Amino acid sequence: KAGVTQTPRYLIKTRGQQVTLSCSPISGHRSVSWYQQTPGQGLQFLFEYFSETQRNKGNFPGRFSGRQFSNSRSEMNVSTLELGDSALYLCASSQGLAAQETQYFGPGTRLLVL
Amino acid sequence: AQSVTQPDIHITVSEGASLELRCNYSYGATPYLFWYVQSPGQGLQLLLKYFSGDTLVQGIKGFEAEFKRSQSSFNLRKPSVHWSDAAEYFCAVGAPGYSSASKIIFGSGTRLSIRP
């Protein structure tokens, strides 16, 4: 079974631009979560989607948004990029929503904002 | 709310030596506990998890962890490390009864280097 894939793997943007990141979960997985990983803040939860509905959102500004499609693929969007948005964005999929579900992580998208 | 602490930012051990990575948590009851490993340029991979039952948990790649309620700890161990074990290790704690990844809190990570 193919793992979680994320595209693109690397991205360079300038302040004020917007960016869209994509995540394809493992086949059969209905839950997708997004995380931001930075050296200073570590791994921080962004949002969680299940059956095309956002179930939870972390403490991030409204510039961060996402969605999930009927095939469980998910996208996240960051508008009006700031330097502080430079990070590794990780996507994880699981079969269900429960906290004990094993999450399978993708390799991440490394975003650099100049 | 739960919290998790990994006291060691960076650890270096010799190849073939034993390893113990520390993890302490704060939670009112027995939490869900996880250890993940992240190799350079990769996402996180689950090594092992504890929900209940036997306090000694076996994981992949020869790792094990022991849940000690009295010490609020869930330390990761390996009897003999290999150069390929060099990576960042994350302890995570989840809140039972909550159906959400948002209730899983990750530690700040411990970077493991292997001395040849």
Side-chain angles (χ1 to χ4, degrees), chain A residues 1 25-31 68 71-72 93-95 102 104:
Chain A
K1 204 182 261 193
I26 290 172
S27 178
H29 285 192
R30 297 169 65 190
S31 176
Q68 186 180 34
N71 61 358
S72 294
S93 76
S94 58
Q95 288 188 317
T102 296
Y104 295 85

Side-chain angles (χ1 to χ4, degrees), chain A residues 3-112:
Chain A
V4 178
T5 58
Q6 292 187 244
T7 56
R9 291 293 309 276
Y10 304 92
L11 210 45
I12 299 176
K13 293 285 187 179
T14 56
R15 275 183 301 173
Q17 287 187 308
Q18 76 164 19
V19 66
T20 299
L21 312 181
S22 180
C23 170
S24 293
I26 290 172
S27 178
H29 285 192
R30 297 169 65 190
S31 176
V32 172
S33 298
W34 289 89
Y35 296 85
Q36 182 194 64
Q37 186 179 25
T38 59
Q41 299 296 318
L43 266 154
Q44 291 187 286
F45 172 80
L46 275 161
F47 2 75
E48 177 180 44
Y49 289 89
F50 184 81
S51 294
E52 303 177 65
T53 302
Q54 186 181 94
R55 298 300 174 124
N56 290 283
K57 183 173 182 181
N59 190 24
F60 280 83
R63 301 184 296 107
F64 290 80
S65 63
R67 59 179 174 168
Q68 186 180 34
F69 302 95
S70 58
N71 61 358
S72 294
R73 190 178 70 84
S74 177
E75 289 181 347
M76 66 163 281
N77 183 276
V78 187
S79 62
T80 320
L81 284 166
E82 300 178 358
L83 295 179
D85 297 333
S86 294
L88 180 67
Y89 290 88
L90 292 166
C91 160
S93 76
S94 58
Q95 288 188 317
L97 256 183
Q100 69 263 33
E101 290 277 347
T102 296
Q103 292 191 86
Y104 295 85
F105 284 79
T109 294
R110 187 164 295 280
L111 172 66
L112 177 62

Side-chain angles (χ1 to χ4, degrees), chain B residues 41-57:
Chain B
Q42 300 298 316
L44 278 68
Q45 181 184 23
L46 181 67
L47 287 174
L48 47 78
K49 59 187 177 184
Y50 174 80
F51 295 151
S52 64
D54 192 347
T55 56
L56 186 62
V57 183

Side-chain angles (χ1 to χ4, degrees), chain B residues 37-75:
Chain B
V37 61
Q38 185 178 31
S39 298
Q42 300 298 316
L44 278 68
Q45 181 184 23
L46 181 67
L47 287 174
L48 47 78
K49 59 187 177 184
Y50 174 80
F51 295 151
S52 64
D54 192 347
T55 56
L56 186 62
V57 183
Q58 300 298 320
I60 62 171
K61 304 185 180 189
F63 286 93
E64 67 177 26
E66 186 171 11
F67 169 60
K68 292 187 176 180
R69 186 192 311 274
S70 61
Q71 298 176 21
S72 297
S73 68
F74 189 57
N75 294 348

